[in-house]
Amino acid sequence: MLRLTNVGFGYPNGATPLRDISFSLEPGSLTFLTGPSGSGKSTLLQLCYGREKPSCGQVIVLGSDLARAGDGTLSKLRQRIGTIFQNPQFAGHLSVFDNVALPLRLAGHKAAEYAKDVHELVTWAGLGPKVHEPATSLSAGEKQRLAVARAVAAKPDLLLADEPLSGLDDDAGSRMMRLLLNIHRFGTTVLIASRVRHETAKAADRELRLLEGCISETESSR
Ligand code: ADP
């Protein structure tokens, strides 16, 4: 599903958050990537999505070496990867429904094919009463849940979530975790970058701890 081998990465300003990263994710697994702020979690997720290229080593996602993938391959791969990155941007003038439907529309699907699924997804994310409201009218917690619904609309094989609980209170955070666990139960491989492994997900398959550019691993006690 995802394999990194001896990956290093440095920014042009000299910051080298990733030195020697090797791990792989099995299909259908749920993994926490933890580490202090500034340890390189977001950078690692950006590499997994092909937004940055490693300075050394190899990133294989869904069977493709991202450093060698051309634009066409990369855009096809990205259709199979859902992302919840920080500060998600929405088409503010569009409704909750249309924001969730956008990835499907862009992939060429017709409204008649996806309308029922999108309604179900919006309800699942707890946004049923807001389905026709513009995205701009949502609270921070609701926006995070909209980001989740949008990320999984196209039924991705892999979901990358960067600090999905940031800015949420305990209740909203637990609700968000339950959504992510739900996605995992339906078979999607989930990688969650977070400063700490959330209480609700103590039984996650694995914790990869990122520190000083390297990974150490903690298996679940399950
Ligand atoms: P985390 O997600 O764990 O908080 P980041 O991946 O955001 O960590 O950042 C890791 C390091 O890389 C930090 O030292 C940060 O300042 C630096 N960094 C992140 N993004 C950039 C960037 N676009 N340009 C230069 N340095 C960056």
Side-chain angles (χ1 to χ4, degrees), residues 9-18 33-46 52 86 162-163 193-195 210:
F9 177 80
Y11 286 103
N13 67 355
T16 50
L18 309 178
L33 173 68
T34 63
S37 182
S39 58
K41 304 180 296 298
S42 299
T43 304
L44 186 51
L45 260 52
Q46 297 292 336
E52 301 284 1
Q86 294 193 50
D162 193 0
E163 297 287 358
S194 169
R195 277 184 297 280
L210 185 51

Side-chain angles (χ1 to χ4, degrees), residues 29 52 55 86 92 108-109 161 164 177 187 194 199 203 209 212 216:
S29 55
E52 301 284 1
S55 321
Q86 294 193 50
H109 297 286
M177 257 334 293
S194 169
E199 203 53 40
R209 182 124 187 108
E212 294 177 0
S216 61

Side-chain angles (χ1 to χ4, degrees), residues 22-26 30-34 197 205-211 214-220:
S22 297
F23 69 89
S24 59
L25 300 186
E26 294 302 317
L30 170 65
T31 305
F32 268 80
L33 173 68
T34 63
R197 191 198 292 215
D205 297 341
R206 288 160 87 193
E207 176 177 344
L208 302 171
R209 182 124 187 108
L210 185 51
L211 207 56
C214 299
I215 291 271
S216 61
E217 182 163 346
T218 321
E219 290 287 338
S220 149

